[in-house]
Amino acid sequence: MVIKQILTLHLPMKIKIVITTFLLCTRAIVFAQSPDLVKYVNTLQGTNSKFELTRGNTYPTTALPFGMHTWTPQTGKNGDGWKYQYEKDSIRGFQQAHQCSSWSNDYCVFSLMPVSGNLVVNEDERAAKFSHANEVAKPNYYSVKLNNGISTEISPTERGAHLRFTFPKGKNSYLVLDGYTGVAQVTIIPAERKITGYVHNGRGLTDSLKSYFEIVFDKPFISWGTWKNSGNKVMVSTQNIMGRKVGAYIQFKAGEKVQARVASSYISPEQASLTLKKELGSFKNLEDTKAAAAKVWNTHLGRILVEGGTEQNKATFYSCFFRASLFSRQFFEYDANGQPYYYSPYDGQVHKGYMYTDTGFWDTFRAQFPLNVLMYPKMHGQYMQAMLDAQQQCGWLPSWSFPGEGGSMIGNHAISLLTDAWVKGVRTFDPEQALKAYLHEATDKGPWGPANGRHGWKEYYQLGYVPYPQYPEATAKTLEYAYDDFCGYQLAKLTGNTFYQKIFERQMYNYRNVFDPSSRFMRGRDKSGQWSPNFDPIEWGGPFTEGNAWHWQWSVFQDINGLIGLMGGEKAFVTRLDSVFSSPNTYKVGTYGRPIHEMTEMVMINMGQYAHGNQPIQHMPYLYNYAGQPWKSQYHVREVMSKLYNATENGYPGDEDQGQTSSWYVLSALGIYSVCPGTDQYVIGSPMFTKATISLENGKKFIIEAKNNRRENVYIQSGKLNGSTYQHNYITYADIMNGGTLSYEMGSKPNENRGITQEDRPFSLSKP
C-alpha cells in the first residue's frame, strides 16, 4: 500500500525508484530476520486419538515455549484424560491446562465457557457443537466459532492468557467458570469486573498446592452468581463459593464482545495479580497479545531455519518443533523485583530460584533433553540444579514429575540428564551431590511408583539382574539400570570421583546377564538363574515394559559393541536389525491380557516388529552405524520420518509423550540423533532438508547442508565438516556448538565405502 502511494506522488521517477527499492529491501531484511514460521504449525497435530489407538494423544495447546500454563478447548468430560479428541463435535469449555499425558490426566484446571440464551452450567448441557472448518489452531492463537454463533479466541502468555468471547446479537450472554473436579474457591467482584479464586485438583498433589487465578474483564457484569455441580444448583447474585465441583457465572449485556485477561500463580493471589499486570498489562486488546506471542514463537522456531523440502515437510518439522518446546514446563514465577521463585510441589514450601516440571524422564531422556541441551543450554543448566533442589525437598530425584514426583515407568534417568549436561559442558550443579543422590536412588526403593528408587535393587546388586517373575518388567529394568549406572560411572570418571566410579563400573555391563545366547534375545530370568519358560519374542509384557523382546533387544545404549559381540558379530547383528523390519507385525498380548494401544499402533504402521509409537526401540534404526552399514540407518530413518509423521490430526504413530516423539523427528530431520545420552555424540542419520541453519545460544550458527537432497536421495555419498572430509557416523556436541558447516552430497544409492572403519563408529564401552 505504501509503495502504491509513493508511485502516485509528484516526484521524479528516479527518486520514486530509489525509495521503492529501499522499502522493498528493508521488507526483505525484516522477513529474513523474522520469518513467519508459526504459519507452518498445526497444534491439532496428533489430536485424533482415543484409548484404543493414539495418533499423538495431544491437544491443541495454546502456549508460549515452556510456559507455566497452557490453554486448550475441551471436548472431554471433566477429569477425562482425553481432554480434546478430533472426532468429537462439541466443546464444553476452554481450559487452563498442564496435562502432559492422557494417561495421567491433568491438575490445577479450571475452564471458561460462553453460553447464550438461557443460563446452563452443567458441562454436558452447556456443550456446544462446532466444526473444524471454523477452528484456527496455532501456537499463538486459537479460535473457534461454535455452531450457536459464539466465537472464542485465545492468545497466551507464559502464565496466563488473553481471551475474547463474541456473543450473537440479541441473546443473553453468559460466561460460566467451572472449578473442575476438585476443590475450588471463587469470588466475583462486579465493581472491578473481576473474578478471583483458586483450584485444587489432580492426582497426588501436596495439600497446599493451589492455582490462584485472577480474571479481569473489559465489560461490566449485569448479573452474576455461583453454582454447585451437585444437583446443578445455581445461587443467583452470590459472589463467593468454595467446595468440590463448584463454579460461578457472570452475565454481560446481550450480544457483547468481551475480553478477559487471565493469570495464575501457585504462590499466592497477590502473585497472580502481579503476573497479570506484568504479562498482560501492556496489551490493549487480544491482537496485541497474539502479535507478541507470534513474535516469541517465530524467534523460537527460527532458531532452526530449514530450507528445501516440501511445504508438508516444513509443516511437520515446525509442528514437531513446537511440541518439543512445551515440556518440561516452567514452575517458577517472578516476584516484584523480577527474581525467580516457586512453590515446590515436592515439599509444599516457597523457595528462591527455578523449578521445572511435567515430564517423564523414561520418555524424554532419549531425545527431548538432548535437543534442549543443544538449543537452550542456559535453561538446561537451570533445570539440572532444579532437579537436585527437588531431591533435597522430597528425598528423591525426580523421574516422572506431574507436578511433584509420581515415580511412573522404570529406570532412574535423572542421572542420564545430569551426566549428559556435564559431558556437554553445562556445569551448573555439584557433581558429587548428583552422584550421592543417584547412589541413594540406586540402593533403595521410594514410596511412589517403580521409577522412584529401584524395584529389585538388592537382587540387582547381588545377582547382576532383576529377577522375573519376582519383579514385573524385570528384564527391562535391568537394561535401564545398567545404562543409568553407566551414566553414574561416566559422571564420576569425568569429575575424578573414584569412589562412585568403582561402585557404578561393576554394574554398567549387567545387560549381559539377561542375554540368552541360545535365542540371542534378552529374556526374563528367575532368581535361581533359570530362563523364563515358553519364550516367544513377540509376546508383550512379563519381563518387558510396553513391548516385547524384539523391542528391548537394543536397550544397551552404552555398549552396542558389547551387544554385537553377544549376538555373534556384526553380520548376525545386522541380520537381526533387518529382521525387525521384515518380521510379521504380529503380537501376543502376554501379561497384558488384552491388546493395548501400543500393540495396535505397531500393527498400524506396518513396519514389522518396529514399534516407533513407543520409546524403547526409537533409537534402533541408528544402530547400523555401529556395525559397518550406516547406509541402512540412512534409509530406515528417512522411511520412518516420511511414513509415520505428518502435521495433521493423525500426525504421530503413537503417544507423543512430552516432546520425546517430536524431538526424535526434529533431531532426525537435522540428520542426527542421541543414541547414548551421557556421551558427547549425536549419531548420523539422513537429513530431511537441503539446508538447516541452527542459531545457537552462544551466537554462533551451525549449518547442515544436504546437497541434491530429494525423497529418493536418502543416502550420504560424501561429507565435509568445515571444508574437511568427514567420514564419521557421529558428530560431537562441541563440533556443533563451535559453529560451522556440515555438508553432505546425497544420492539414491548407498555409498558402501563411507563410514565403515572402526574410527568412524560411534561411542561404545567395549572395543570391537
Side-chain angles (χ1 to χ4, degrees), residues 74-80 82-83 90-95 111 113-115 120-129 176-181 227-230 232 245:
Q74 172 194 356
T75 64
K77 288 181 177 290
N78 286 354
D80 187 350
W82 284 265
K83 63 170 66 251
S90 296
I91 289 175
R92 60 185 66 214
F94 299 90
Q95 292 185 348
S111 68
M113 183 63 186
V115 175
V120 182
V121 295
N122 176 272
E123 62 168 312
D124 294 320
E125 296 173 6
R126 73 181 186 235
K129 300 285 187 180
V176 176
L177 186 153
D178 192 326
Y180 211 58
T181 58
W227 59 275
K228 295 180 180 179
N229 182 272
S230 177
N232 295 322
K245 300 182 180 181

Side-chain angles (χ1 to χ4, degrees), residues 404-622:
E405 172 59 3
S408 299
M409 302 310 294
I410 64 172
N412 311 111
H413 299 311
I415 192 63
S416 171
L417 274 63
L418 291 159
T419 302
D420 195 57
W422 193 271
V423 166
K424 292 168 179 171
V426 178
R427 299 179 176 180
T428 55
F429 60 94
D430 179 355
E432 184 159 2
Q433 182 187 0
L435 288 164
K436 182 179 179 181
Y438 175 60
L439 181 61
H440 171 253
E441 199 82 12
T443 55
D444 211 336
K445 178 66 195 78
W448 302 300
N452 179 227
R454 280 184 175 173
H455 272 159
W457 69 268
K458 289 182 181 179
E459 292 84 353
Y460 175 77
Y461 277 95
Q462 294 166 352
L463 302 173
Y465 61 94
V466 181
Y468 180 80
Q470 186 175 351
Y471 295 95
E473 307 170 295
T475 301
K477 289 171 181 173
T478 299
L479 294 170
E480 298 209 354
Y481 295 170
Y483 163 70
D484 289 331
D485 286 340
F486 158 74
C487 291
Y489 159 83
Q490 180 88 322
L491 182 58
K493 182 180 179 181
L494 290 169
T495 56
N497 195 321
T498 55
F499 172 74
Y500 289 107
Q501 181 180 341
K502 289 178 180 178
I503 291 175
F504 299 124
E505 186 173 25
R506 61 183 284 265
Q507 277 99 238
M508 61 187 179
Y509 295 102
N510 277 352
Y511 69 88
R512 297 169 176 168
N513 299 325
V514 289
F515 181 82
D516 170 26
S518 64
S519 66
R520 295 185 180 177
F521 275 107
M522 302 293 176
R523 286 185 59 183
R525 196 175 190 182
D526 67 20
K527 58 185 178 182
S528 67
Q530 298 299 308
W531 299 110
S532 297
N534 304 316
F535 172 69
D536 189 332
I538 69 168
E539 184 173 314
W540 286 54
F544 302 111
T545 301
E546 295 181 359
N548 62 31
W550 280 105
H551 308 144
W552 281 95
Q553 179 76 358
W554 318 105
S555 292
V556 189
F557 317 101
Q558 73 277 20
D559 194 20
I560 299 301
N561 281 343
L563 180 61
I564 290 172
L566 288 178
M567 293 178 66
E570 291 180 3
K571 184 177 180 181
F573 182 79
V574 168
T575 298
R576 181 62 62 82
L577 287 172
D578 292 342
S579 297
V580 170
F581 296 106
S582 63
S583 293
N585 60 345
T586 54
Y587 61 83
K588 292 183 177 179
V589 298
T591 54
Y592 287 102
R594 59 172 176 79
I596 60 174
H597 71 95
E598 289 90 350
M599 301 172 192
T600 309
E601 289 146 14
M602 184 188 76
V603 173
M604 173 186 69
I605 70 173
N606 196 27
M607 298 180 77
Q609 287 292 317
Y610 184 69
H612 190 81
N614 209 18
Q615 281 65 46
I617 203 170
Q618 286 181 352
H619 67 294
M620 170 259 163
Y622 285 90

Side-chain angles (χ1 to χ4, degrees), residues 680-695:
D680 66 346
Q681 294 180 358
Y682 294 82
V683 179
I684 300 297
S686 177
M688 176 64 74
F689 299 94
T690 55
K691 185 178 182 180
T693 302
I694 306 172
S695 294

